[in-house]
Each structure stands twice: as C-alpha cells, then as structure tokens.
Amino acid sequence: MPKSFSAIIVFIMLLSIFSCNKQEENKVAENTDVTPVFSEESIQQGIASLLNDSLKSSFVNNKEVVDWYKSNHHQPKWFRNNDDISNVFSLYSHLKLSFEHGINSEYFKTKEIGALSKEVYLSMMNNQLSYDKLAMLDIMFSDAAVTYSSALQYGVVNPKKVYGGSYKVAAKPKKQELDVLETTDTRKFLYAIQPKDFHYKLMQQAYLDLMENEVDEEGQDIPKLSGKIDFGDTSNYLVLISQRLFNLGYLTKKSTENVYDSTLFKAVYQFQEDNGLVADGVIGSYTYDLITLTNEQKKEMLVANMERMRWIDVPEENPYLLVNIPSFKLQVRDGENLLMEMKTCTGSKATSYSNHETPLMHDTIEYMVFNPTWSVPRSIAEKEMYRKIVKDPTYLERNGYKVMKNGKFISTSEMNLANYTASSMPYKFVQKPGRGNALGTVKFIFPNESNIYLHDTPSQSAFKNDNRAVSHGCVRVEKPKDLAQFLMQYSALSEEEKEEIGSSGKNTIRVNLKETIPVYILYFTAFASPTGEINYYKDVYEKDGALLDAMK
C-alpha cells in the first residue's frame, strides 16, 4: 500500500473518532491494522458519477466546485495516492477553529464530514472501501474549503440581503473563488486570507477572552431602567450597577447600598468616558444598558461586528473618514493612527410613518461648500414646513428662506398655500447662508444617490446627548472647522486663498479637492477605542438581530 494512503487512513480514522460517541470510538479504534487496496481512478469515477447526477450532487453549496472538478477531469483534490494529508488536515483544522471568528463550524458541514468519514473508515476496515463515499468526502471538503474561503474574505451573509436598500457599500472585489482548490499549499493560503485589520483582531481577541474567562453574572434578569439616576438619589438599581462595574474593573468592591454615592459616581463617570458616552455621571438608559450588558450579549455583538468587518475593505494606509453610526463619532484615520475624532448626529430611527435612518455607504469627498445654501428636501417641506408656514406666515422670512415656483424665485407674498395641500403645493424653499442656516458654515460633499453629506449645524445642543440619532439622514459634525482645515490640505488653494475664505462673509464658495478622501458611513455596535479597548454601543437602528439570525 502506498505510504500516502496509510496517511489518508490515519486521517480518516481520526476524523471518525472525533465524530463518534465513546462506544463507537472504541469500535473504530479496534481495527487499525487493515490495509485496503487504494485506487485513485476509482475515486475519480465516483466523483464523476456523483457530479454528473444533479440529484446526487445537490449537497454541494458552491456550483463552482462542480465546474472545477469537471475541468480537472474529476480528479480528487484531497485524497490522492501521490499526496500526503497536510492540505486536508490544515483545512479541517481551520474549519473546526472557525468559532474564533464567531462562525459556527456547522456552517461548513463539519458534522456531516465527520459522519461520512466514519462510514468511509468502517468500509475500509471491512476491506470494502466505498469509493463513492470517499469521492463524496473529497467533494464535501472542496465545498467546505470554498465556503470557508468566501466567509473569511467576504462574510458569511450578503449584507444587501439582510439590510436591503439601506446598505449601499460596494461589495469587496472578489478574487478567484476557486484559488483555495488550485493552491498546492492549503495551510499557507488559509493563513493569508485571515482578516488582518487591527479593529478585527481586537474584536476577535475580546471574543476569545469572553469565551475563556466567563464572569459570574449570577443568573440575574436585567430589569429595564425608566427615567434616570442622579448623584445622591436612592434606587434599587444601584446594587446591580455596582456589581456590574465591579466585574468590569471600575470598582474594587461591590456595594450593597442603594444610595448613589461619590465612589459609585466616579466609577460611572469613568465608564462613560471610556465608552464614548456623555460623561456627566448621570445614569440614564444609555449608560445603564451598556453597564448591564451580559457576556452573552457582548459575544453576540462581537460576532455581528466581526461579520461586518469582513464585508469591507478599509485602507491600510492613507487618510480616510469613518463615521460609526452607533457610536455617533467621526474619526479621521490614517491606517491604525487616529488623527482626529468628533461627535456626530445621524438620522433618526425609522418609525412606521417615516424613515430618516442614515444609509451605510462608502464614497469619496470631492469638495466642500462654505456658507452653503440649503435646498429643503421635498419630504421635509411637506411633512414639516407646510404646517409651520400656515401657522406663521412670517416663518420663511424670519428664518432666511427664499421661495421658488416653476424654477423662479418669487416673493413670499405671492404664495397662496390656501389653494394647496402639503403634497400638492408647487413651491420649493431655499435657505440663504447665515447663522441660522440648517447646514451651518460648511458642508462636505461626496455625491451619492441618497443625497447624504456631512455638515455643520447651528443646533449644537444635540451633541450633549447620548442618543444623537436626530437628523433627517445627513450627518452633522461637531467640529466642522477642524475637519475643513484638515481637508483643505488636499485642495489646490494657496494659503492666501484659504485665508480669504475665512473672511468671505456670506458668499457661497465651493472648494474642490485635488485628491479625494474616502469616507465610510458604517454600523458597528462593538468597536475598538483609540486605546485598543472594545467599546460597546447601543443598537440604535436595531440591526444586530437581523444579522445574527441570518448567520445561523
């Protein structure tokens, strides 16, 4: 018997044992001295027989695998008499360790592979080797290899099938999907496709730490908090909050008191600072929900967000902007380096009658507009402005709006809303530049079909809230001048021309960027902080559940 086939027997025997219960394990292990005759040609015939019958090949998820075997004359990939088992062993090891990425190994049919391996091994031991089953095992490994390769590089699920039109990020360009079958060094190939992004690696490590170091959560049901708890208040929630902050390392001992004292206040304040919340020591629903997250909830959040990371290609170098909706933060990054960070306000959560959620997208900033006008979207004009104008005829003039009809500006006195409903009025509204303009002093444009952009705002008070999902869809930025100054270096303007913009009064000025800057608007409920810690954020658009369901 060829030496390589001895290795194949050992490998299949080990697979069989791993998939057996104890009684079956003993039975399998009893017969290890049988040496059946091996024929690669018989496996080849078995593969051809299986794949030429559509019913028999229905177990194959990836039809490209069927085409690959046909183009290779149905030769086996994993079980050949001139190869060792290092490739298939490496593949199986990676399949079993897929849990490290938050992916259930059953997604790759490891249980079925184990069960079939047992059948093949027992047929070997009876000197009646089933080449059809060995052929099926070879195909199943190939199918699993392609599925694994795709999952690690592009994700387990298609985000557009989960989120529909709200997900506008272009899919990662796919490489040759069958490269994993073409390679002669499977171990090297599988190592190369492991996600390398530092955010991903930090999330993965946090996930593994939670799996290894379970904290005793005392089996408590977590009650919902209504209202808020201020310093000095008395509340039955405080014992639970103290226990959670102790588990998280913010307190040196648990408290059994139900009074919000200075020790607990300092711990809450530090927790808020570390997790991107408004640090005021007040325990509201955002702070409470994050403090009381269970380990299981955190693991589920990490699973969902590792999957989201697999969907995208973020630049490893060169500056880019990242807006994370759940954290309500914009970061300017250069690879792993954080250059700038500021708060944001994003679209409000969808309701049964309106949807202002900010879509997820990737584009490039092409230009900035200083002292912009604001052309009021039709939906806002109908749902909000119409009733304000009817109630207060001076509203438009007081807030700096001009009126258009049939493409021409008219005076407000020429309007006659009494003849129209909100949906039928023929008017458009444009707000002039100025202190009260809804877009503030500057907007940052990356042309897109959803007409989403970043902009300044006169409504600064919203930045003081934890929940900043308050806009109609565009993203308000806390420090527009800092962002504009950063982007100015990519314009063609001279220093003198840049200074003139600052003294331009209310004149609207467009500044093109000679080098466009990538911008990502994404959704991560768990993400690495600038110090490398994992922060968890409220699922403001309730997107985690649908993704986790799709991954099952």
Side-chain angles (χ1 to χ4, degrees):
M1 178 178 60
K3 181 180 179 182
S4 61
F5 191 53
S6 298
I8 292 173
I9 291 178
V10 171
F11 173 72
I12 294 178
M13 181 188 75
L14 290 174
L15 270 185
S16 303
I17 291 174
F18 291 151
S19 65
C20 292
N21 58 37
K22 193 67 180 177
Q23 185 176 0
E24 291 173 322
E25 179 182 323
N26 293 334
K27 182 177 179 182
V28 168
E30 284 174 0
N31 302 305
T32 58
D33 58 345
V34 181
T35 55
V37 176
F38 176 73
S39 168
E40 185 176 316
E41 184 180 348
S42 296
I43 301 178
Q44 197 171 349
Q45 291 172 354
I47 291 172
S49 174
L50 285 168
L51 298 186
N52 287 331
D53 186 321
S54 59
L55 289 177
K56 289 181 180 178
S57 64
S58 61
F59 66 91
V60 182
N61 288 332
N62 302 283
K63 297 309 176 187
E64 302 87 353
V65 171
V66 176
D67 296 335
W68 183 86
Y69 275 106
K70 289 181 178 179
S71 67
N72 284 274
H73 310 291
H74 299 106
Q75 290 183 351
K77 162 65 182 175
W78 309 99
F79 303 120
R80 307 179 68 169
N81 59 16
N82 62 343
D83 285 335
D84 61 29
I85 61 163
S86 60
N87 283 331
V88 70
F89 185 82
S90 179
L91 170 61
Y92 189 71
S93 298
H94 278 82
L95 297 180
K96 294 298 287 184
L97 291 174
S98 61
F99 72 89
E100 295 182 349
H101 298 277
I103 305 174
N104 191 328
S105 64
E106 291 309 308
Y107 179 65
F108 311 109
K109 298 185 177 179
T110 52
K111 186 177 290 186
E112 289 92 332
I113 286 173
L116 184 58
S117 298
K118 182 175 67 176
E119 292 180 26
V120 171
Y121 181 73
L122 291 175
S123 72
M124 287 180 179
M125 296 306 98
N126 292 323
N127 273 320
Q128 295 177 338
L129 176 58
S130 172
Y131 284 105
D132 284 346
K133 289 180 179 178
L134 189 56
M136 182 177 287
L137 190 59
D138 197 275
I139 297 169
M140 288 184 74
F141 269 119
S142 294
D143 197 41
V146 173
T147 302
Y148 179 88
S149 175
S150 177
L152 266 287
Q153 294 183 88
Y154 313 110
V156 173
V157 300
N158 182 338
K160 293 190 177 182
K161 289 185 178 179
V162 180
Y163 297 134
S166 68
Y167 191 88
K168 301 179 184 297
V169 184
K172 289 165 69 172
K174 288 197 173 185
K175 304 169 187 176
Q176 294 296 321
E177 293 190 61
L178 300 178
D179 282 356
V180 67
L181 301 183
E182 297 290 349
T183 183
T184 57
D185 191 337
T186 302
R187 184 196 63 79
K188 184 177 180 180
F189 179 90
L190 296 179
Y191 175 79
I193 66 171
Q194 301 299 304
K196 304 296 193 299
D197 181 87
F198 77 104
H199 280 106
Y200 187 98
K201 300 296 286 184
L202 289 169
M203 280 193 267
Q204 184 181 38
Q205 188 57 56
Y207 180 71
L208 295 176
D209 289 344
L210 284 171
M211 293 188 73
E212 292 178 4
N213 304 308
E214 292 287 354
V215 176
D216 181 13
E217 295 173 338
E218 303 176 11
Q220 293 175 318
D221 291 328
I222 308 299
K224 287 290 182 184
L225 174 68
S226 58
K228 62 182 181 178
I229 306 172
D230 285 305
F231 177 70
D233 285 353
T234 299
S235 171
N236 293 330
Y237 291 93
L238 292 171
V239 174
L240 171 61
I241 292 169
S242 173
Q243 290 172 343
R244 293 294 178 179
L245 289 173
F246 170 78
N247 289 343
L248 293 170
Y250 288 92
L251 290 171
T252 57
K253 63 178 181 178
K254 300 177 185 179
S255 172
T256 57
E257 301 295 326
N258 60 1
V259 177
Y260 192 12
D261 61 18
S262 59
T263 300
L264 186 55
F265 180 90
K266 291 176 183 177
V268 170
Y269 186 94
Q270 189 61 53
F271 176 88
Q272 290 172 327
E273 276 205 330
D274 291 348
N275 288 273
L277 299 169
V278 174
D280 56 9
V282 177
I283 305 173
S285 62
Y286 260 68
T287 297
Y288 176 80
D289 288 349
L290 293 182
I291 288 176
T292 57
L293 276 177
T294 66
N295 283 342
E296 280 304 311
Q297 287 173 316
K298 289 179 180 178
K299 285 191 286 187
E300 287 185 345
M301 293 168 79
L302 289 165
V303 167
N305 289 287
M306 282 191 284
E307 172 70 358
R308 290 181 177 121
M309 285 297 302
R310 293 190 286 264
W311 293 341
I312 60 173
D313 262 333
V314 174
E316 295 182 4
E317 54 187 29
N318 300 325
Y320 64 92
L321 275 59
L322 171 62
V323 175
N324 182 20
I325 291 173
S327 71
F328 301 114
K329 292 284 183 70
L330 178 150
Q331 294 183 338
V332 180
R333 305 197 69 94
D334 189 347
E336 296 185 13
N337 300 315
L338 178 63
L339 305 181
M340 187 186 303
E341 185 175 59
M342 64 190 70
K343 295 177 182 177
T344 61
C345 295
T346 61
S348 57
K349 187 180 182 304
T351 65
S352 58
Y353 55 87
S354 67
N355 184 358
H356 295 305
E357 292 184 2
T358 302
L360 311 183
M361 60 175 62
H362 164 225
D363 219 302
T364 55
I365 295 181
E366 296 183 5
Y367 62 94
M368 299 178 282
V369 178
F370 291 87
N371 302 316
T373 58
W374 181 44
S375 297
V376 180
R378 182 71 188 183
S379 60
I380 297 177
E382 290 181 8
K383 295 179 181 178
E384 299 179 27
M385 289 191 66
Y386 177 84
R387 65 174 182 271
K388 291 179 180 178
I389 300 167
V390 170
K391 185 177 180 181
D392 178 7
T394 69
Y395 175 83
L396 292 174
E397 290 187 5
R398 285 191 302 100
N399 290 279
Y401 288 98
K402 296 190 291 185
V403 184
M404 293 186 73
K405 182 180 180 181
N406 299 326
K408 296 181 179 180
F409 285 107
I410 62 172
S411 68
T412 54
S413 62
E414 295 178 76
M415 290 177 60
N416 188 0
L417 286 181
N419 293 335
Y420 303 102
T421 63
S423 59
S424 66
M425 64 176 175
Y427 308 116
K428 294 181 180 180
F429 308 103
V430 179
Q431 193 176 31
K432 295 179 288 187
R435 182 178 299 176
N437 184 282
L439 306 184
T441 58
V442 61
K443 63 180 179 178
F444 309 89
I445 305 299
F446 40 101
N448 59 85
E449 63 180 13
S450 301
N451 198 27
I452 297 297
Y453 46 86
L454 312 179
H455 65 89
D456 181 18
T457 176
S459 304
Q460 293 293 309
S461 60
F463 291 117
K464 298 178 182 178
N465 300 327
D466 285 327
N467 182 1
R468 298 193 286 276
V470 294
S471 81
H472 289 91
C474 287
V475 179
R476 306 173 191 172
V477 296
E478 178 191 24
K479 302 174 183 176
K481 290 182 180 179
D482 292 352
L483 183 58
Q485 186 175 5
F486 171 80
L487 292 173
M488 271 293 193
Q489 64 185 299
Y490 300 99
S491 74
L493 298 184
S494 66
E495 290 302 318
E496 188 175 301
E497 289 172 320
K498 293 175 185 177
E499 290 179 9
E500 288 178 1
I501 290 176
S503 58
S504 62
K506 295 182 180 180
N507 295 327
T508 300
I509 300 174
R510 170 170 167 161
V511 176
N512 294 326
L513 301 185
K514 62 181 179 181
E515 183 181 340
T516 59
I517 304 299
V519 57
Y520 295 82
I521 301 178
L522 301 175
Y523 195 92
F524 294 106
T525 51
F527 204 64
S529 72
T531 59
E533 300 294 323
I534 296 298
N535 287 342
Y536 299 89
Y537 304 106
K538 198 158 186 175
D539 186 7
V540 63
Y541 291 167
E542 297 182 358
K543 288 182 175 291
D544 280 2
L547 175 53
L548 290 167
D549 286 344
M551 290 181 69
K552 290 178 181 176

